[in-house]
Amino acid sequence: ACPGWRFRRVLRVNHSGAFISGLTLRDGDVYGNYAADSDNAGPGALRLVAGVVSNCVIRNNNGADNSGAVELRAGGLLTHCKIFNNQATRNGNTGVGLGGGVWVRGGVMRDCIVTNNQANLYGGGVWMSDGSVERCRIEGNTSGYSGVTGRHGGGIYLAGGSATACEIVNNRAYGYGGGAYFCKRTAAPWSSGAGALRNSLVTGNRSFETKPQNGHGLFLTDSISRLENVTVVDNSHGVDGSGIYLANGNMTNSIAWFNGTNDLHKTGGTVGHSCWSGATAADGNTGANPRFKDRARGNYRLTTGSPCVNTGVNYLWTRDDLDLEGNPRILFNVCDMGAYENTTLSRTLLIVR
């Protein structure tokens, strides 16, 4: 811990053989106005360049400009950690602050909880420019603050890399994309291809932008952004705005239902083998109710009679791939839509006497 210090982060790890486990990293405080790669800029708690950090609690840190708590690079693995109550901001400059919890520049973040973090600008929970986020819960984070606009990506700001088998829940954006915002960045050190979200659940999120294209759940703007087997549901249902705003990119095998005042606001991009209210029966899409098992209790798995069962496309997956719950992604020969594969099909029992 570094209470009361300035320009001091708690830990830097930069060795491929390093293994750090069981620590609490807290009260780091970096307020520098420096280049992104300077040791006097960025994360308040941890700069993980190479090595493994596991089973740590990372809380109550402040980082200037580029990440509140953690910066993860290509040689690092961050796993089974809880990252909460961190902030990316700098006094006197309300226009900076990316990634309240974690900046994923590369490497892998796996099986982590990222909650209750705040970024002044983009990516309340996570700012991604490369790398991979896997099996993480990203919940209750905020981009921006009351009285401002244009602060995108309450849960994740995806400028590159991929997020797979994640739950993006109850995040807030004072801009577009309450759950996640997809946008290709070209300025170093953030330059990369636009991101992909796969096998994930997006629910309970909100954008405080007043425009109808706000994207309470998701906002996609780049041609190579991808949604693959994502369930986007109950994001500010009844509140003016869309569940998904698709200006560009691709949406495949996905479900959008009970969001805002419309599930999908599409001005560009392509959609195939997906389900949303108002969809026409073309390109494998359906506007029929997806028939969740128990929406009132947050169970968005599919019932056997769902029109989303066995109506996706398989080319995105192999038989070794898993869904959000860890079940095989392809059962009964054809992939389902949404984050969860239906594991039971109706059967006729024939008794021969």
Side-chain angles (χ1 to χ4, degrees), residues 13-25:
V13 181
N14 187 12
H15 191 285
S16 60
F19 183 84
I20 307 294
S21 183
L23 300 181
T24 295
L25 311 181

Side-chain angles (χ1 to χ4, degrees), residues 207-229:
S207 160
F208 286 102
E209 285 281 357
T210 57
K211 299 176 182 178
Q213 70 268 30
N214 55 10
H216 288 302
L218 303 172
F219 190 105
L220 290 83
T221 65
D222 191 79
S223 61
I224 55 174
S225 299
R226 304 193 321 275
L227 300 181
E228 297 169 353
N229 283 93

Side-chain angles (χ1 to χ4, degrees), residues 124-254:
V126 178
W127 160 269
M128 288 191 71
S129 53
D130 209 339
S132 178
V133 174
E134 303 169 2
R135 301 195 303 265
C136 290
R137 186 172 180 89
I138 299 163
E139 180 175 12
N141 304 284
T142 304
S143 58
Y145 47 88
S146 181
V148 301
T149 59
R151 312 302 169 98
H152 310 318
I156 308 181
Y157 189 107
L158 271 154
S162 65
T164 303
C166 291
E167 295 172 304
I168 303 172
V169 181
N170 296 335
N171 301 283
R172 302 290 180 264
Y174 288 90
Y176 300 137
Y181 182 92
F182 298 69
C183 181
K184 185 176 181 179
R185 301 277 291 190
T186 57
W190 308 288
S191 54
S192 184
L197 181 65
R198 314 179 79 214
N199 270 350
S200 294
L201 173 68
V202 180
T203 186
N205 303 284
R206 182 169 183 178
S207 160
F208 286 102
E209 285 281 357
T210 57
K211 299 176 182 178
Q213 70 268 30
N214 55 10
H216 288 302
L218 303 172
F219 190 105
L220 290 83
T221 65
D222 191 79
S223 61
I224 55 174
S225 299
R226 304 193 321 275
L227 300 181
E228 297 169 353
N229 283 93
V230 177
T231 298
V232 182
V233 60
D234 278 318
N235 294 281
S236 301
H237 187 220
V239 177
D240 189 39
S242 56
I244 301 173
Y245 177 72
L246 184 67
N248 220 328
N250 302 290
M251 172 175 163
T252 309
N253 288 0
S254 294

Side-chain angles (χ1 to χ4, degrees), residues 74-85:
L77 170 62
L78 183 71
T79 181
H80 293 88
C81 291
K82 185 172 183 180
I83 301 126
F84 66 98
N85 293 352

